Amino acid sequence: STADKAIEIIADAGGIDINAHAGKDIDLAGGQINLTASHNTACTIYLRANAGTSETIKVHADQGTAEGSIELTSDAGGIDINAASGKDLDLAGGTINLTSSDDAGSAIYLRANAGTSETIKIHADQGSGEGSIELTSDAGGIDLNAAAGKDIDLAGGQINLTGAHNTACTIYLRANAGT
């Protein structure tokens, strides 16, 4: 038969197990693979490797060229990506566009919170233009804050401070920590 359900496996009251020897494969191939779970519970679809320290899980699109060649979507909830402490979360590609669609404070929040040796570094290896690293706020201000007793260090060829607000104290340098 050439129908979509040429072979159908149904268990009206029980489950279905597919098991193979640990050293053998389970191969599913076809036009599309549509995997849908209908149980309203945590881990409704659970993809897991649990065979040893060399195991990996890989989702791979061989020939897809669209921006969403691999897409993770949650229509009503969030998405968590977690890695073990001391291991990297590596994002690499053409450009990385991180956009929040939440109109809230801390809509994008980049945070390190693991100990006193932690740092956050934004680094452009080969950009040679004046705006190789750029911080821009189209409608609001930009705050740079450091702990009392710590420095905000600006170093480079020239430091150009330009105020574009036509008001008194357009550029205001103030020390207000003691006598």
Side-chain angles (χ1 to χ4, degrees):
S1 172
T2 60
D4 283 343
K5 295 181 180 180
I7 297 175
E8 187 172 7
I9 301 171
I10 297 173
D12 288 329
I16 298 172
D17 283 343
I18 299 173
N19 297 303
H21 184 271
K24 299 298 180 183
D25 296 337
I26 297 174
D27 186 271
L28 300 174
Q32 292 179 328
I33 297 175
N34 297 309
L35 182 62
T36 303
S38 58
H39 191 184
N40 184 14
T41 185
C43 298
T44 300
I45 295 177
Y46 185 44
L47 181 62
R48 177 181 183 195
N50 188 20
T53 58
S54 297
E55 67 191 19
T56 62
I57 296 175
K58 183 175 184 176
V59 177
H60 183 97
D62 276 324
Q63 298 182 37
T65 60
E67 294 296 329
S69 177
I70 295 176
E71 183 175 326
L72 299 176
T73 301
S74 177
D75 290 331
I79 296 175
D80 283 343
I81 299 175
N82 302 301
S85 180
K87 297 297 181 180
D88 295 338
L89 177 61
D90 186 12
L91 300 173
T95 59
I96 297 174
N97 300 308
L98 182 61
T99 303
S100 171
S101 59
D102 194 7
D103 183 13
S106 299
I108 295 178
Y109 184 47
L110 181 62
R111 177 182 184 200
N113 187 23
T116 58
S117 299
E118 68 192 19
T119 62
I120 294 175
K121 183 176 184 176
I122 299 173
H123 182 97
D125 273 324
Q126 298 181 37
S128 60
E130 293 294 330
S132 177
I133 295 178
E134 183 177 327
L135 298 176
T136 301
S137 177
D138 289 333
I142 296 175
D143 283 342
L144 296 175
N145 301 303
K150 297 296 180 181
D151 297 336
I152 295 176
D153 183 14
L154 300 173
Q158 293 179 334
I159 297 175
N160 298 312
L161 297 176
T162 303
H165 193 179
N166 186 13
T167 184
C169 300
T170 298
I171 296 177
Y172 184 46
L173 299 176
R174 176 181 180 198
N176 189 26
T179 57

